[in-house]
Amino acid sequence: MVTNVTAVDLITFPHHSRDPLAAYQPITCYGAYAFDRQERTVHRYVAANTVLATGGLGRIYRNTTNPPGARGDGLALAYRAARASSMQSTCSFIRRRWPRPAPKAF
């Protein structure tokens, strides 16, 4: 498990293939590129299985108690890689806070 990194992109084939005909093959995920916030460098993590546990997307609301990192980045990565999330039914859209003036979320 990798912690304290920000996902940049999933390593997928044929997305990262140089062969234009590979676009017609099934998509396979081989890992991820991630930005290490302490070292300030991007690392490649190759894996047989890749799990995106990103913390949800509750921060899309202006007034929320969700953490600042809950912006839906993981769902965006999966969408870009043309993968359907198997756990979308568990996404919570409960605001959990009464509306009042708050600092800008983004």
Side-chain angles (χ1 to χ4, degrees):
M1 178 182 290
V2 180
T3 60
N4 294 320
V5 298
T6 301
V8 175
D9 198 6
L10 295 176
I11 302 170
T12 57
F13 183 84
H15 176 81
H16 289 94
S17 174
R18 295 176 193 248
D19 180 9
L21 296 178
Y24 299 102
Q25 297 178 5
I27 297 172
T28 307
C29 183
Y30 292 102
Y33 294 107
F35 178 72
D36 186 322
R37 294 187 296 264
Q38 291 178 342
E39 295 179 17
R40 304 196 59 75
T41 57
V42 175
H43 297 281
R44 178 179 53 226
Y45 295 95
V46 178
N49 296 299
T50 304
V51 176
L52 297 174
T54 61
L57 61 144
R59 205 56 163 156
I60 63 173
Y61 294 107
R62 180 175 180 190
N63 300 309
T64 181
T65 57
N66 287 289
R71 300 177 307 250
D73 299 346
L75 288 175
L77 279 173
Y79 180 79
R80 272 196 4 217
R83 290 285 172 200
S85 172
S86 61
M87 300 297 285
Q88 284 184 350
S89 61
T90 62
C91 285
S92 174
F93 292 100
I94 302 169
R95 292 175 64 167
R96 298 187 188 130
R97 186 172 165 187
W98 293 105
R100 57 183 121 131
K104 220 173 168 185
F106 291 101

XYZ file of all heavy atoms in Angstrom:
826
model
N 0.846 -1.169 0.000
C 0.000 0.000 0.000
C 0.900 1.245 0.000
O 1.870 1.309 0.742
C -0.914 0.001 1.210
C -1.773 1.226 1.262
S -2.849 1.324 2.704
C -3.991 0.042 2.316
N 0.541 2.192 -0.802
C 1.298 3.433 -0.916
C 0.494 4.552 -0.269
O -0.691 4.701 -0.523
C 1.580 3.759 -2.400
C 2.370 5.038 -2.519
C 2.305 2.612 -3.071
N 1.146 5.340 0.583
C 0.471 6.459 1.251
C 1.245 7.753 0.996
O 2.387 7.733 0.550
C 0.365 6.214 2.770
O 1.688 6.071 3.299
C -0.444 4.960 3.069
N 0.604 8.854 1.297
C 1.196 10.198 1.148
C 1.631 10.508 -0.275
O 2.661 11.147 -0.501
C 2.370 10.396 2.120
C 1.916 10.398 3.558
O 0.877 10.960 3.881
N 2.673 9.752 4.410
N 0.860 10.014 -1.228
C 1.110 10.326 -2.634
C -0.193 10.776 -3.278
O -1.271 10.493 -2.775
C 1.699 9.123 -3.417
C 3.034 8.710 -2.851
C 0.729 7.964 -3.448
N -0.079 11.473 -4.386
C -1.238 11.894 -5.158
C -1.179 11.199 -6.505
O -0.175 11.309 -7.211
C -1.227 13.425 -5.364
O -1.230 14.052 -4.077
C -2.436 13.878 -6.158
N -2.233 10.473 -6.851
C -2.273 9.760 -8.129
C -2.259 10.757 -9.279
O -2.964 11.756 -9.252
C -3.498 8.871 -8.206
N -1.448 10.477 -10.289
C -1.354 11.334 -11.464
C -2.098 10.699 -12.634
O -2.883 11.348 -13.309
C 0.128 11.577 -11.845
C 0.232 12.369 -13.126
C 0.855 12.264 -10.709
N -1.856 9.410 -12.860
C -2.501 8.696 -13.971
C -2.369 7.211 -13.739
O -1.454 6.758 -13.039
C -1.837 9.077 -15.294
C -2.690 8.749 -16.518
O -3.861 8.330 -16.341
O -2.204 8.927 -17.632
N -3.283 6.453 -14.318
C -3.181 4.993 -14.271
C -2.334 4.517 -15.442
O -2.392 5.081 -16.532
C -4.574 4.358 -14.340
C -5.495 4.649 -13.162
C -6.862 4.041 -13.415
C -4.908 4.114 -11.873
N -1.544 3.469 -15.217
C -0.754 2.873 -16.284
C -1.643 1.828 -16.956
O -1.945 0.791 -16.370
C 0.521 2.210 -15.738
C 1.364 3.237 -14.993
C 1.313 1.571 -16.872
C 2.521 2.634 -14.208
N -2.098 2.138 -18.134
C -3.018 1.244 -18.830
C -2.501 0.923 -20.217
O -1.790 1.696 -20.837
C -4.425 1.868 -18.949
O -4.310 3.120 -19.618
C -5.071 2.070 -17.599
N -2.878 -0.250 -20.674
C -2.613 -0.641 -22.053
C -3.971 -0.849 -22.692
O -4.835 -1.463 -22.077
C -1.790 -1.940 -22.106
C -1.443 -2.341 -23.502
C -0.339 -1.802 -24.132
C -2.238 -3.224 -24.197
C -0.023 -2.154 -25.428
C -1.935 -3.584 -25.495
C -0.825 -3.046 -26.116
N -4.264 -0.326 -23.782
C -3.416 0.263 -24.794
C -3.258 1.775 -24.706
O -2.653 2.371 -25.594
C -4.102 -0.115 -26.083
C -5.538 -0.128 -25.740
C -5.595 -0.611 -24.320
N -3.749 2.425 -23.658
C -3.651 3.891 -23.545
C -2.215 4.379 -23.707
O -1.967 5.392 -24.331
C -4.216 4.345 -22.196
C -4.086 5.810 -21.937
N -4.964 6.728 -22.448
C -3.174 6.522 -21.234
C -4.608 7.936 -22.072
N -3.526 7.836 -21.321
N -1.258 3.676 -23.140
C 0.137 4.085 -23.214
C 0.906 3.319 -24.295
O 2.118 3.246 -24.271
C 0.817 3.913 -21.854
C 0.345 4.916 -20.859
N -0.674 4.661 -19.979
C 0.722 6.192 -20.630
C -0.888 5.718 -19.241
N -0.058 6.668 -19.607
N 0.203 2.751 -25.250
C 0.849 2.004 -26.334
C 1.239 2.946 -27.470
O 0.575 3.943 -27.724
C -0.100 0.934 -26.868
O 0.458 0.307 -27.993
N 2.301 2.596 -28.159
C 2.712 3.380 -29.331
C 2.055 2.882 -30.608
O 2.126 3.534 -31.633
C 4.231 3.326 -29.475
C 4.940 3.998 -28.331
C 6.437 3.819 -28.474
N 7.102 4.193 -27.256
C 7.878 5.246 -27.133
N 8.091 6.033 -28.150
N 8.452 5.520 -25.993
N 1.421 1.716 -30.538
C 0.768 1.119 -31.697
C -0.655 1.666 -31.813
O -1.485 1.443 -30.933
C 0.730 -0.404 -31.536
C 0.056 -1.103 -32.698
O -0.244 -0.448 -33.716
O -0.169 -2.328 -32.584
N -1.001 2.379 -32.879
C -2.352 2.943 -33.005
C -3.444 1.879 -33.085
O -4.584 2.126 -32.698
C -2.293 3.779 -34.278
C -1.076 3.354 -35.000
C -0.141 2.736 -34.012
N -3.127 0.687 -33.552
C -4.131 -0.377 -33.636
C -4.415 -1.004 -32.274
O -5.422 -1.689 -32.106
C -3.673 -1.450 -34.630
C -3.536 -0.974 -36.081
C -3.025 -2.103 -36.963
C -4.856 -0.441 -36.591
N -3.561 -0.765 -31.297
C -3.774 -1.317 -29.960
C -4.999 -0.702 -29.288
O -5.526 -1.258 -28.328
C -2.538 -1.095 -29.105
N -5.470 0.429 -29.777
C -6.652 1.084 -29.201
C -7.888 0.200 -29.276
O -8.852 0.421 -28.562
C -6.914 2.401 -29.908
N -7.858 -0.820 -30.106
C -9.005 -1.705 -30.265
C -8.925 -2.927 -29.358
O -9.813 -3.764 -29.365
C -9.128 -2.140 -31.725
C -9.331 -0.955 -32.637
C -8.288 -0.446 -33.398
C -10.565 -0.313 -32.696
C -8.469 0.661 -34.214
C -10.751 0.789 -33.498
C -9.701 1.270 -34.258
O -9.885 2.371 -35.060
N -7.873 -3.039 -28.570
C -7.728 -4.155 -27.642
C -8.356 -3.806 -26.299
O -8.502 -2.629 -25.962
C -6.245 -4.492 -27.464
C -5.582 -4.962 -28.742
C -4.101 -5.232 -28.535
O -3.593 -5.150 -27.427
N -3.413 -5.537 -29.620
N -8.721 -4.820 -25.510
C -9.296 -4.542 -24.177
C -8.308 -3.765 -23.303
O -7.100 -3.951 -23.390
C -9.539 -5.930 -23.596
C -9.546 -6.850 -24.765
C -8.663 -6.238 -25.802
N -8.832 -2.903 -22.436
C -7.997 -2.077 -21.567
C -7.569 -2.888 -20.341
O -8.378 -3.559 -19.711
C -8.749 -0.818 -21.126
C -9.072 0.039 -22.349
C -7.949 -0.023 -20.112
C -9.972 1.197 -22.057
N -6.290 -2.794 -19.997
C -5.737 -3.463 -18.828
C -4.950 -2.451 -18.011
O -4.193 -1.663 -18.559
C -4.787 -4.606 -19.261
O -5.476 -5.459 -20.171
C -4.334 -5.412 -18.072
N -5.116 -2.478 -16.688
C -4.412 -1.560 -15.801
C -3.226 -2.285 -15.166
O -3.372 -3.388 -14.640
C -5.349 -1.045 -14.718
S -4.570 0.163 -13.630
N -2.061 -1.663 -15.217
C -0.834 -2.257 -14.683
C -0.262 -1.494 -13.497
O 0.824 -1.810 -13.036
C 0.225 -2.335 -15.784
C -0.151 -3.319 -16.857
C -0.660 -2.879 -18.071
C -0.020 -4.681 -16.655
C -1.019 -3.784 -19.058
C -0.377 -5.595 -17.633
C -0.873 -5.136 -18.830
O -1.231 -6.026 -19.808
N -0.931 -0.491 -13.006
C -0.437 0.271 -11.871
C -0.777 1.742 -12.017
O -1.764 2.100 -12.666
N 0.057 2.584 -11.425
C -0.233 4.021 -11.442
C 1.046 4.852 -11.360
O 2.066 4.400 -10.840
C -1.138 4.387 -10.275
N 0.947 6.063 -11.887
C 1.958 7.081 -11.666
C 1.462 7.921 -10.494
O 0.294 8.312 -10.461
C 2.120 7.985 -12.891
C 2.677 7.281 -14.098
C 1.870 6.984 -15.181
C 4.023 6.925 -14.160
C 2.376 6.341 -16.303
C 4.534 6.283 -15.271
C 3.714 5.993 -16.336
O 4.219 5.363 -17.435
N 2.343 8.185 -9.527
C 1.930 8.938 -8.350
C 2.988 9.964 -7.968
O 4.189 9.715 -8.095
C 1.680 7.992 -7.180
N 2.517 11.109 -7.510
C 3.379 12.202 -7.084
C 3.644 12.084 -5.594
O 2.716 12.124 -4.784
C 2.719 13.547 -7.408
C 3.499 14.736 -6.958
C 4.671 15.094 -7.603
C 3.061 15.509 -5.897
C 5.408 16.199 -7.196
C 3.770 16.610 -5.480
C 4.953 16.964 -6.130
N 4.900 11.912 -5.223
C 5.301 11.859 -3.820
C 5.446 13.292 -3.333
O 6.318 14.038 -3.778
C 6.630 11.108 -3.685
C 7.025 10.881 -2.240
O 6.810 11.776 -1.397
O 7.561 9.795 -1.956
N 4.580 13.675 -2.400
C 4.543 15.070 -1.946
C 5.770 15.462 -1.126
O 6.145 16.623 -1.114
C 3.256 15.314 -1.161
C 2.022 15.190 -2.036
C 0.763 15.588 -1.304
N 0.442 14.736 -0.183
C -0.405 13.701 -0.243
N -0.985 13.391 -1.384
N -0.660 12.980 0.819
N 6.406 14.514 -0.450
C 7.595 14.842 0.342
C 8.827 14.982 -0.544
O 9.601 15.915 -0.409
C 7.829 13.793 1.415
C 6.774 13.818 2.502
C 6.987 12.742 3.540
O 7.698 11.772 3.307
N 6.361 12.906 4.683
N 9.016 14.021 -1.466
C 10.177 14.066 -2.361
C 9.970 15.013 -3.540
O 10.926 15.363 -4.230
C 10.484 12.671 -2.899
C 10.926 11.680 -1.859
C 11.192 10.321 -2.460
O 11.338 10.221 -3.704
O 11.245 9.348 -1.704
N 8.697 15.341 -3.801
C 8.304 16.193 -4.922
C 8.736 15.589 -6.262
O 9.275 16.280 -7.128
C 8.837 17.612 -4.747
C 8.394 18.246 -3.434
C 8.545 19.705 -3.319
N 7.849 20.512 -4.284
C 6.541 20.762 -4.303
N 5.769 20.201 -3.419
N 6.022 21.555 -5.214
N 8.526 14.275 -6.399
C 8.840 13.553 -7.626
C 7.697 12.610 -7.979
O 6.897 12.240 -7.124
C 10.131 12.715 -7.483
O 9.979 11.818 -6.376
C 11.348 13.593 -7.249
N 7.642 12.219 -9.255
C 6.632 11.265 -9.713
C 7.282 9.885 -9.790
O 8.375 9.729 -10.339
C 6.071 11.676 -11.090
C 5.107 10.617 -11.620
C 5.370 13.021 -10.989
N 6.592 8.895 -9.210
C 7.073 7.515 -9.218
C 6.102 6.632 -9.997
O 4.898 6.915 -10.034
C 7.209 6.970 -7.800
C 8.212 7.693 -6.966
N 9.562 7.473 -7.059
C 8.056 8.648 -6.021
C 10.201 8.251 -6.201
N 9.303 8.984 -5.559
N 6.620 5.572 -10.552
C 5.791 4.586 -11.247
C 5.632 3.380 -10.315
O 6.617 2.820 -9.849
C 6.457 4.168 -12.549
C 5.686 3.117 -13.308
C 6.348 2.735 -14.603
N 7.740 2.355 -14.373
C 8.758 2.772 -15.116
N 8.567 3.596 -16.124
N 9.982 2.382 -14.849
N 4.382 2.982 -10.057
C 4.081 1.823 -9.230
C 3.390 0.788 -10.104
O 2.267 0.997 -10.562
C 3.175 2.209 -8.058
C 3.840 3.167 -7.090
C 3.647 4.532 -7.206
C 4.679 2.693 -6.095
C 4.266 5.411 -6.341
C 5.303 3.568 -5.215
C 5.087 4.926 -5.341
O 5.706 5.799 -4.483
N 4.081 -0.320 -10.360
C 3.537 -1.388 -11.195
C 2.956 -2.449 -10.265
O 3.581 -2.824 -9.271
C 4.633 -1.986 -12.098
C 4.091 -3.113 -12.937
C 5.236 -0.898 -12.978
N 1.751 -2.930 -10.601
C 1.081 -3.901 -9.741
C 0.187 -4.821 -10.562
O -0.304 -4.438 -11.621
C 0.233 -3.168 -8.706
N -0.009 -6.029 -10.060
C -0.913 -6.974 -10.709
C -2.364 -6.510 -10.568
O -3.179 -6.701 -11.467
C -0.747 -8.368 -10.117
N -2.681 -5.890 -9.442
C -4.021 -5.351 -9.186
C -3.886 -3.935 -8.661
O -2.993 -3.640 -7.859
C -4.763 -6.201 -8.152
C -5.015 -7.589 -8.658
O -5.684 -7.776 -9.655
N -4.446 -8.579 -7.979
N -4.771 -3.051 -9.092
C -4.740 -1.656 -8.666
C -6.083 -1.311 -8.038
O -7.124 -1.504 -8.652
C -4.478 -0.723 -9.865
O -3.269 -1.133 -10.493
C -4.360 0.717 -9.421
N -6.048 -0.802 -6.805
C -7.254 -0.397 -6.093
C -7.172 1.098 -5.842
O -6.176 1.590 -5.304
C -7.392 -1.151 -4.750
C -8.604 -0.655 -3.977
C -7.478 -2.645 -4.979
N -8.206 1.826 -6.222
C -8.271 3.262 -5.964
C -9.153 3.494 -4.738
O -10.369 3.414 -4.818
C -8.849 4.006 -7.173
C -8.053 3.929 -8.460
C -8.831 4.580 -9.596
C -6.706 4.588 -8.288
N -8.534 3.755 -3.602
C -9.256 4.066 -2.375
C -8.992 5.543 -2.088
O -8.041 5.897 -1.407
C -8.780 3.184 -1.239
N -9.823 6.408 -2.643
C -9.501 7.834 -2.675
C -10.271 8.699 -1.690
O -10.002 9.883 -1.598
C -9.750 8.374 -4.087
O -11.128 8.194 -4.394
C -8.882 7.655 -5.089
N -11.232 8.162 -0.992
C -11.914 8.962 0.018
C -13.163 9.687 -0.433
O -13.694 10.505 0.280
N -13.646 9.423 -1.608
C -14.923 9.975 -2.026
C -14.863 11.315 -2.717
O -13.818 11.766 -3.148
N -16.042 11.942 -2.812
C -16.153 13.195 -3.538
C -17.063 14.184 -2.834
O -17.672 15.041 -3.460
C -16.650 12.945 -4.970
C -18.022 12.304 -5.106
C -18.718 12.899 -6.323
C -17.887 10.831 -5.310
N -17.117 14.116 -1.515
C -17.992 15.007 -0.749
C -17.597 16.467 -0.817
O -18.400 17.355 -0.523
N -16.379 16.765 -1.221
C -15.919 18.148 -1.262
C -16.465 18.909 -2.467
O -16.184 20.096 -2.628
C -14.394 18.147 -1.288
C -13.758 19.383 -0.761
C -14.236 19.665 0.631
N -13.356 20.616 1.299
C -13.732 21.365 2.284
N -14.946 21.309 2.744
N -12.894 22.191 2.839
N -17.254 18.243 -3.292
C -17.856 18.952 -4.425
C -18.900 19.959 -3.946
O -19.273 20.848 -4.690
C -18.461 17.983 -5.459
C -19.588 17.170 -4.849
C -17.392 17.100 -6.048
C -20.351 16.320 -5.853
N -19.373 19.798 -2.698
C -20.313 20.757 -2.129
C -19.549 21.913 -1.489
O -18.481 21.729 -0.918
C -21.196 20.095 -1.070
C -22.114 19.060 -1.643
C -21.892 17.711 -1.427
C -23.202 19.440 -2.414
C -22.737 16.759 -1.960
C -24.057 18.494 -2.957
C -23.809 17.157 -2.720
O -24.641 16.230 -3.243
N -20.118 23.080 -1.543
C -19.458 24.260 -0.958
C -19.400 24.144 0.551
O -18.391 24.434 1.174
C -20.201 25.518 -1.376
C -19.563 26.746 -0.810
C -20.228 27.988 -1.319
N -19.560 29.133 -0.735
C -20.009 30.338 -0.823
N -21.114 30.587 -1.475
N -19.356 31.333 -0.273
N -20.498 23.717 1.176
C -20.565 23.579 2.621
C -20.581 22.104 2.976
O -21.578 21.425 2.762
C -21.818 24.270 3.166
C -21.828 25.745 2.841
O -20.855 26.438 3.107
N -22.892 26.226 2.249
N -19.486 21.617 3.521
C -19.386 20.209 3.867
C -18.364 20.022 4.972
O -17.514 20.881 5.197
C -18.976 19.370 2.641
O -18.912 17.997 3.012
C -17.639 19.803 2.090
N -18.456 18.907 5.665
C -17.460 18.567 6.686
C -16.467 17.550 6.155
O -15.611 17.088 6.892
C -18.155 18.002 7.941
O -18.930 16.865 7.564
C -19.039 19.045 8.593
N -16.570 17.202 4.887
C -15.627 16.256 4.307
C -14.239 16.885 4.224
O -14.104 18.098 4.110
C -16.085 15.848 2.905
C -17.271 14.929 2.958
O -17.143 13.780 3.347
N -18.439 15.433 2.591
N -13.186 16.060 4.235
C -11.827 16.603 4.171
C -11.548 17.262 2.827
O -12.170 16.914 1.816
C -10.941 15.369 4.381
C -11.781 14.219 3.982
C -13.196 14.596 4.312
N -10.618 18.183 2.777
C -10.318 18.907 1.535
C -9.909 17.995 0.375
O -10.112 18.327 -0.775
C -9.164 19.835 1.921
C -9.263 19.989 3.387
C -9.840 18.713 3.904
N -9.341 16.828 0.672
C -8.894 15.936 -0.390
C -9.995 15.127 -1.040
O -9.755 14.424 -2.022
N -11.214 15.173 -0.541
C -12.321 14.370 -1.068
C -12.970 15.076 -2.254
O -14.083 15.573 -2.173
C -13.351 14.101 0.032
N -12.247 15.135 -3.382
C -12.709 15.879 -4.549
C -13.175 14.991 -5.692
O -13.528 15.489 -6.747
C -11.578 16.773 -5.057
C -11.090 17.786 -4.072
C -9.932 18.554 -4.658
N -8.906 17.646 -5.137
C -7.719 17.485 -4.575
N -7.407 18.166 -3.522
N -6.844 16.637 -5.066
N -13.095 13.680 -5.548
C -13.506 12.788 -6.625
C -12.414 12.491 -7.631
O -12.684 12.043 -8.739
N -11.169 12.735 -7.259
C -10.059 12.508 -8.180
C -9.967 11.045 -8.628
O -9.648 10.756 -9.773
C -8.732 12.922 -7.544
C -8.692 14.395 -7.183
O -9.564 15.140 -7.661
O -7.799 14.797 -6.426
N -10.215 10.125 -7.711
C -10.136 8.698 -8.040
C -11.171 8.280 -9.062
O -10.886 7.489 -9.969
N -12.384 8.809 -8.930
C -13.418 8.506 -9.927
C -13.035 9.085 -11.282
O -13.280 8.469 -12.322
C -14.771 9.060 -9.478
C -15.429 8.322 -8.321
C -16.695 9.043 -7.887
C -15.729 6.896 -8.684
N -12.405 10.245 -11.283
C -11.963 10.846 -12.546
C -10.870 10.000 -13.199
O -10.873 9.807 -14.414
C -11.467 12.269 -12.307
N -9.936 9.473 -12.384
C -8.897 8.589 -12.926
C -9.515 7.354 -13.572
O -9.137 6.946 -14.662
C -7.936 8.146 -11.821
C -6.842 9.092 -11.408
C -6.113 8.549 -10.186
C -5.858 9.301 -12.533
N -10.449 6.738 -12.873
C -11.093 5.535 -13.401
C -11.882 5.846 -14.672
O -11.868 5.073 -15.630
C -12.020 4.935 -12.340
N -12.554 6.980 -14.695
C -13.321 7.358 -15.876
C -12.403 7.570 -17.077
O -12.688 7.116 -18.179
C -14.123 8.628 -15.587
C -14.948 9.097 -16.759
C -16.156 8.490 -17.060
C -14.505 10.132 -17.566
C -16.910 8.909 -18.142
C -15.247 10.560 -18.652
C -16.451 9.944 -18.930
O -17.181 10.354 -20.008
N -11.280 8.258 -16.844
C -10.327 8.486 -17.936
C -9.744 7.192 -18.464
O -9.426 7.075 -19.630
C -9.189 9.391 -17.463
C -9.502 10.825 -17.636
C -8.318 11.747 -17.545
N -7.024 11.123 -17.387
C -6.062 11.617 -16.641
N -6.259 12.718 -15.981
N -4.899 11.024 -16.556
N -9.590 6.214 -17.584
C -9.047 4.922 -17.999
C -10.150 4.020 -18.540
O -9.907 2.862 -18.841
C -8.347 4.247 -16.831
N -11.363 4.537 -18.655
C -12.524 3.813 -19.189
C -12.886 2.606 -18.349
O -13.296 1.581 -18.860
C -12.283 3.418 -20.644
N -12.760 2.741 -17.053
C -13.151 1.680 -16.139
C -14.357 2.138 -15.331
O -14.381 3.247 -14.821
C -12.020 1.332 -15.166
C -10.872 0.657 -15.810
C -11.259 -0.758 -16.102
N -10.216 -1.375 -16.903
C -10.416 -2.438 -17.614
N -11.583 -3.003 -17.662
N -9.450 -2.966 -18.312
N -15.304 1.258 -15.176
C -16.453 1.560 -14.328
C -16.082 1.239 -12.890
O -15.448 0.232 -12.621
C -17.656 0.734 -14.759
N -16.457 2.097 -11.975
C -16.192 1.835 -10.573
C -17.189 0.811 -10.059
O -18.396 0.931 -10.275
C -16.320 3.132 -9.777
O -16.249 2.862 -8.403
N -16.683 -0.186 -9.353
C -17.565 -1.237 -8.856
C -18.278 -0.823 -7.578
O -19.189 -1.498 -7.139
C -16.767 -2.522 -8.602
O -15.784 -2.280 -7.625
N -17.875 0.285 -6.966
C -18.465 0.687 -5.696
C -19.168 2.044 -5.773
O -19.306 2.714 -4.768
C -17.384 0.722 -4.609
C -16.685 -0.608 -4.379
S -17.811 -1.884 -3.800
C -18.034 -1.366 -2.132
N -19.629 2.449 -6.931
C -20.284 3.751 -7.048
C -21.560 3.819 -6.231
O -21.969 4.894 -5.821
C -20.571 4.069 -8.504
C -19.346 4.501 -9.249
C -19.676 4.899 -10.675
O -20.776 4.689 -11.154
N -18.705 5.476 -11.357
N -22.176 2.686 -5.956
C -23.412 2.699 -5.181
C -23.165 3.091 -3.729
O -24.094 3.441 -3.013
C -24.077 1.325 -5.235
O -23.206 0.352 -4.670
N -21.911 3.067 -3.277
C -21.619 3.425 -1.888
C -21.179 4.874 -1.734
O -20.852 5.290 -0.644
C -20.526 2.504 -1.305
O -19.331 2.682 -2.065
C -20.949 1.055 -1.338
N -21.161 5.648 -2.806
C -20.785 7.064 -2.706
C -21.842 7.812 -1.915
O -23.031 7.676 -2.162
C -20.646 7.700 -4.090
S -19.159 7.213 -4.942
N -21.395 8.621 -0.975
C -22.309 9.378 -0.134
C -22.400 10.820 -0.624
O -21.384 11.468 -0.850
C -21.812 9.356 1.313
O -22.605 10.183 2.109
N -23.616 11.314 -0.759
C -23.829 12.691 -1.183
C -24.532 13.489 -0.086
O -25.252 14.412 -0.355
C -24.661 12.733 -2.472
C -23.931 12.179 -3.651
C -24.180 10.899 -4.082
C -22.975 12.931 -4.296
C -23.500 10.385 -5.170
C -22.287 12.422 -5.385
C -22.556 11.148 -5.817
N -24.307 13.138 1.153
C -24.932 13.825 2.277
C -24.066 15.023 2.653
O -22.876 14.876 2.888
C -25.084 12.871 3.483
C -25.915 11.659 3.072
C -25.706 13.605 4.664
C -25.913 10.548 4.079
N -24.663 16.195 2.701
C -23.887 17.417 2.950
C -23.370 17.503 4.372
O -22.328 18.038 4.627
C -24.722 18.632 2.612
C -24.972 18.720 1.128
C -25.885 19.824 0.802
N -25.271 21.096 1.155
C -25.735 22.240 0.756
N -26.797 22.290 0.009
N -25.160 23.351 1.097
N -24.136 17.054 5.361
C -23.734 16.986 6.763
C -23.394 18.333 7.400
O -22.662 18.389 8.358
C -22.541 16.051 6.927
C -22.822 14.652 6.523
C -21.659 13.774 6.874
N -21.882 12.471 6.313
C -21.022 11.808 5.590
N -19.845 12.329 5.360
N -21.302 10.635 5.096
N -23.890 19.407 6.839
C -23.601 20.718 7.429
C -24.650 21.709 6.966
O -25.034 21.713 5.815
C -22.216 21.172 6.995
C -21.771 22.432 7.652
C -20.327 22.680 7.318
N -19.994 24.055 7.659
C -18.865 24.612 7.382
N -17.937 23.955 6.741
N -18.634 25.850 7.728
N -25.042 22.598 7.853
C -25.991 23.635 7.476
C -25.281 24.674 6.628
O -24.152 25.038 6.908
C -26.600 24.295 8.718
C -27.457 23.363 9.494
C -27.149 22.753 10.664
C -28.752 22.908 9.136
N -28.166 21.949 11.064
C -29.176 22.018 10.149
C -29.614 23.154 8.059
C -30.408 21.385 10.115
C -30.839 22.520 8.031
C -31.232 21.656 9.038
N -25.965 25.174 5.594
C -25.330 26.193 4.747
C -25.022 27.463 5.528
O -25.858 27.988 6.230
C -26.385 26.465 3.674
C -27.325 25.333 3.725
C -27.275 24.785 5.122
N -23.804 27.914 5.434
C -23.375 29.205 5.954
C -22.131 29.618 5.190
O -21.495 28.776 4.567
C -23.141 29.163 7.458
C -22.156 28.164 7.933
C -22.120 28.236 9.447
N -22.471 26.954 10.004
C -21.788 26.342 10.925
N -20.733 26.906 11.449
N -22.146 25.186 11.376
N -21.791 30.841 5.216
C -20.629 31.289 4.456
C -19.381 30.459 4.804
O -19.110 30.211 5.971
C -20.440 32.743 4.860
C -21.792 33.168 5.320
C -22.435 31.957 5.918
N -18.690 30.029 3.775
C -17.499 29.205 3.984
C -16.429 29.629 2.988
O -16.716 30.230 1.962
C -17.864 27.740 3.775
N -15.186 29.309 3.290
C -14.132 29.626 2.330
C -14.317 28.826 1.057
O -14.983 27.800 1.039
C -12.845 29.228 3.049
C -13.273 28.308 4.133
C -14.681 28.670 4.469
N -13.735 29.299 -0.022
C -13.841 28.644 -1.307
C -13.272 27.231 -1.238
O -12.178 27.022 -0.709
C -13.060 29.462 -2.340
C -13.712 29.557 -3.648
C -12.941 30.522 -4.521
C -13.449 30.377 -5.925
N -12.700 31.161 -6.851
N -14.014 26.241 -1.751
C -13.588 24.844 -1.667
C -12.480 24.534 -2.662
O -11.660 23.669 -2.437
C -14.778 23.924 -1.899
N -12.475 25.215 -3.798
C -11.466 24.911 -4.824
C -10.661 26.137 -5.145
O -11.084 27.204 -5.150
C -12.097 24.387 -6.107
C -12.688 23.031 -5.932
C -14.042 22.858 -5.758
C -11.868 21.902 -5.952
C -14.579 21.601 -5.613
C -12.393 20.647 -5.803
C -13.753 20.494 -5.624
